[in-house]
Amino acid sequence: MASNRPGDREIVLEAVSAALSDVVTEDRVLLALQAHELALVHRFGVYLEARLGRGLRQYGLAVDLDYDRHGDLRKLLPARPDRGGERRFRPDLIVHRRQDDTHNLLVVEWKKNASNPMLRRLEERIRSLLANEVGHPSYGYQLGVLADSGDDGVRWRAFDSDGPVNDWQDAGS
């Protein structure tokens, strides 16, 4: 691809894949120890930022963990029938321009040893963050990634506003 814009989907997906592989190869001890998912998300963020570095700086983007702002307001998820009203939300990792939702590039949700029902709920969450639905805040992320780690590796799946863009993949393979 001729462009190095971080918004180019292929560039971002390649960086995500490589950064997840880095977690598996460089931080296997965290997986084996079943360290808290935030430790894994942090390492993933370090590798992702290194892989997108020049493009991030060029377009004024940042990699943030647990970022709960929507402009100057709290980030909220839409109400669910089983949960009641809107809820405060902190994505595990995002790539964005702070205070400017027109440049929300990537949102990542990460769980350890997630059950299928949990993965379905997280997929629903990611889809809501990619959507531009009437009646709740529009965050407009271009891509979403769902990562599920175990003591022997990480599997992941990416989404855009039309749905999944890949099948579940094992990082590092």
Side-chain angles (χ1 to χ4, degrees):
M1 186 170 248
S3 171
N4 273 342
R5 271 189 55 213
D8 290 335
R9 182 166 128 167
E10 291 78 19
I11 291 171
V12 174
L13 289 175
E14 286 173 17
V16 165
S17 179
L20 287 169
S21 292
D22 291 342
V23 169
V24 171
T25 58
E26 302 297 324
D27 298 301
R28 184 163 293 283
V29 68
L30 293 176
L31 295 166
L33 290 172
Q34 296 188 11
H36 193 280
E37 70 189 46
L38 287 179
L40 296 164
V41 173
H42 167 73
R43 297 307 306 156
F44 169 67
V46 168
Y47 299 129
L48 184 65
E49 191 168 45
R51 294 194 176 270
L52 293 174
R54 195 166 97 212
L56 292 173
R57 288 186 298 280
Q58 181 179 358
Y59 294 98
L61 300 177
V63 175
D64 285 317
L65 282 74
D66 275 352
Y67 192 85
D68 68 345
R69 299 284 105 184
H70 176 51
D72 293 331
L73 304 173
R74 288 182 179 177
K75 201 168 265 170
L76 298 172
L77 286 175
R80 283 184 12 199
D82 61 335
R83 289 264 177 111
E86 292 181 321
R87 297 169 319 195
R88 188 173 175 196
F89 174 61
R90 298 181 327 247
D92 290 327
L93 181 141
I94 59 176
V95 178
H96 67 132
R97 185 177 299 155
R98 294 175 184 138
Q99 296 185 303
D100 183 357
D101 283 341
T102 62
H103 292 86
N104 285 343
L105 180 59
L106 175 70
V107 59
V108 177
E109 282 295 300
W110 190 305
K111 289 295 175 207
K112 288 182 5 183
N113 303 309
S115 65
N116 284 332
M118 172 59 77
L119 292 173
R120 283 192 295 276
R121 282 193 301 276
L122 290 172
E123 181 178 332
E124 179 183 310
R125 178 182 293 174
I126 287 174
R127 286 177 184 241
S128 75
L129 294 167
L130 298 171
N132 290 315
E133 297 176 17
V134 176
H136 71 83
S138 173
Y139 301 113
Y141 288 96
Q142 294 175 34
L143 288 168
V145 167
L146 179 53
D148 179 30
S149 60
D151 58 359
D152 61 346
V154 178
R155 65 186 188 127
W156 67 284
R157 190 171 195 192
F159 302 85
D160 65 14
S161 60
D162 294 326
V165 298
N166 62 349
D167 291 325
W168 282 100
Q169 297 182 26
D170 289 324
S173 58

